[in-house]
Amino acid sequence: MGILRIILAISVVIAHSNPIFGITMVGGLIAVKAFYIISGFYMSLILNEKYTGKNNSFYLFITNRFLRLFPIYWCILLLSFLFILLVHNDTTDLYINDFPKMNFGGIFFVLFTNIALFFQDAVMFLGVDKNSGQLFFTANYHLTDPHLYKFLLVPQAWTIGVELLFYLLAPFLVRLKLIFIFILVMLSLLLRFYLNKIGLDNDPWSYRFFPSELFFFLLGNISYRIYKKYNSIKIKKAYLNLILLLVISFTILYGSISFSQKEIFYYCMIFLAIPFIFYHTKYFKIDLAIGELSYPVYLCHILLLNCLIVLKIPKIDAGYGLILIVSSILFSVLLNEVIAKKIEKKRQARVL
């Protein structure tokens, strides 16, 4: 499933830069939701097959997840901090001019969420009162000034804040009986419909509000249950190759294809295809190695984008996005070699 994960990460990179020869792939919003489904699948898999018996420990699971996420994030955070110190940009102005105007609670919250990752998704539901320095709830952060999310040094990491909420709940959710999972799916869907009905169908409500996004994580859990039920059935390799090819092709060519309910169709396809893609690729070491690049690519690309802007790389068709993708992948290989692989050995040793 690694190739699908890296393509989804590249979709986010393209969304923040420019299309590659006119190809936009699925875009950032859909890629994020697809990642939620995949995360639900993987968390269900490891909690039911790895964290069992003597390893059935909430503490062990959570600390291992933190070891997976935080070292690379903190590295990117530090580099981003050094970048704004060395290069004058909008973020530098915000921290110099507006950050000191916040009250203690606001300053503490911004510092905490930058370091701890938790509640970065909540940033999109808050604004800053310039007069009092207090944070306040807002239904539309686009109408606030300054935008609180601009104080995030790794702004795309808000999705990790959503993931962390799921990780905290996952040990209690993924082992529930299927009927309870269906009930939670329906409640999450009903909440989404209700928010749309009352006019809260815009960003951040459209994909940053955890209760309504829980639906996608739970789809991943159901997808895992499908995998467990049918993974003993031998499926022809040609059929599995076809499923993988169709999913990858649709993901890449999504922007060029047009039909009614295309987005819903894509989520359904991901949900149904994941068991077969995982079954087909779980022993492919190359696919696994490619998939391990998706997280650092996602985290480092905004920093590298800012570097390209400073270097005044022209936004020519394909060139800008292509350079950003290649540089993000190469830097991610370095991050994995220097940080992730060393941490991974320690993580694996803890659950053996």
Side-chain angles (χ1 to χ4, degrees):
M1 200 139 62
I3 185 66
L4 175 60
R5 290 161 57 199
I6 194 66
I7 289 174
L8 290 172
I10 290 173
S11 296
V12 178
V13 176
I14 290 176
H16 290 150
S17 55
N18 73 318
I20 307 299
F21 300 110
I23 298 175
T24 60
M25 298 194 184
V26 294
L29 184 150
I30 296 174
V32 166
K33 292 177 184 289
F35 268 124
Y36 290 164
I37 299 174
I38 293 172
S39 180
F41 177 89
Y42 272 122
M43 291 308 101
S44 300
L45 176 77
I46 66 173
L47 280 167
N48 284 288
E49 300 185 16
K50 191 172 184 179
Y51 292 93
T52 57
K54 67 176 183 179
N55 293 324
N56 186 15
S57 164
F58 179 81
Y59 173 79
L60 182 62
F61 168 73
I62 291 298
T63 52
N64 271 342
R65 288 292 92 200
F66 287 3
L67 284 172
R68 173 72 177 87
L69 297 176
F70 280 94
I72 288 180
Y73 171 74
W74 282 333
C75 178
I76 300 299
L77 181 70
L78 176 60
L79 292 174
S80 299
F81 176 69
L82 293 175
F83 178 85
I84 69 167
L85 286 181
L86 297 172
V87 179
H88 181 80
N89 61 7
D90 292 340
T91 303
T92 311
D93 290 339
L94 278 170
Y95 271 90
I96 292 174
N97 299 324
D98 293 313
F99 186 70
K101 296 177 183 178
M102 292 186 196
N103 62 9
F104 174 78
I107 291 174
F108 176 82
F109 177 77
V110 169
L111 293 176
F112 172 81
T113 195
N114 266 293
I115 296 171
L117 268 170
F118 283 96
F119 307 120
Q120 289 204 10
D121 51 318
V123 166
M124 310 302 175
F125 297 88
L126 298 171
V128 183
D129 188 321
K130 281 188 173 183
N131 295 320
S132 66
Q134 292 183 333
L135 302 183
F136 63 90
F137 170 78
T138 176
N140 190 342
Y141 70 89
H142 296 288
L143 302 179
T144 63
D145 181 31
H147 297 321
L148 191 62
Y149 75 86
K150 291 184 178 180
F151 290 97
L152 298 177
L153 299 183
V154 190
Q156 73 277 25
W158 68 264
T159 62
I160 313 303
V162 177
E163 291 270 356
L164 286 171
L165 290 176
F166 177 67
Y167 292 164
L168 292 176
L169 294 174
F172 311 101
L173 289 179
V174 301
R175 294 164 178 161
L176 289 174
K177 291 183 178 180
L178 189 58
I179 182 64
F180 295 115
I181 295 295
F182 279 132
I183 291 172
L184 290 173
V185 165
M186 292 306 300
L187 289 174
S188 184
L189 265 181
L190 287 172
L191 176 60
R192 178 176 292 275
F193 290 143
Y194 173 75
L195 292 174
N196 287 343
K197 185 177 180 179
I198 62 176
L200 297 177
D201 55 352
N202 57 295
D203 181 16
W205 302 95
S206 55
Y207 72 129
R208 306 182 202 259
F209 187 52
F210 177 75
S212 58
E213 296 308 302
L214 181 60
F215 162 75
F216 293 99
F217 290 104
L218 294 177
L219 279 184
N221 175 256
I222 297 172
S223 188
Y224 165 75
R225 293 169 192 254
I226 294 173
Y227 163 75
K228 286 300 293 181
K229 186 173 181 63
Y230 296 104
N231 70 336
S232 60
I233 299 176
K234 190 171 181 61
I235 304 173
K236 289 185 177 180
K237 189 175 180 180
Y239 295 155
L240 296 172
N241 284 331
L242 180 61
I243 292 171
L244 180 60
L245 179 62
L246 287 174
V247 172
I248 291 175
S249 299
F250 194 20
T251 302
I252 294 174
L253 300 174
Y254 183 91
S256 306
I257 301 171
S258 179
F259 59 87
S260 178
Q261 305 300 321
K262 179 176 66 171
E263 184 175 343
I264 294 175
F265 179 86
Y266 182 77
Y267 296 139
C268 291
M269 181 184 68
I270 291 291
F271 157 67
L272 293 172
I274 283 176
F276 303 100
I277 294 175
F278 179 77
Y279 173 84
H280 186 39
T281 62
K282 61 182 177 180
Y283 298 119
F284 292 176
K285 291 184 178 180
I286 294 178
D287 183 77
L288 178 62
I290 291 172
E292 291 301 308
L293 294 175
S294 60
Y295 179 61
V297 163
Y298 179 78
L299 279 187
C300 77
H301 77 275
I302 294 294
L303 172 61
L304 296 180
L305 174 62
N306 289 330
C307 292
L308 293 180
I309 293 172
V310 169
L311 294 172
K312 297 182 179 179
I313 303 296
K315 289 188 176 183
I316 58 176
D317 185 33
Y320 202 73
L322 191 58
I323 291 172
L324 181 58
I325 290 169
V326 172
S327 59
S328 297
I329 291 174
L330 291 177
F331 189 54
S332 295
V333 171
L334 177 63
L335 287 172
N336 272 354
E337 290 295 325
V338 174
I339 299 175
K341 286 187 177 180
K342 294 179 180 179
I343 299 295
E344 185 63 20
K345 288 180 181 179
K346 294 181 179 180
R347 286 203 316 120
Q348 294 299 330
R350 299 175 78 221
V351 293
L352 292 178

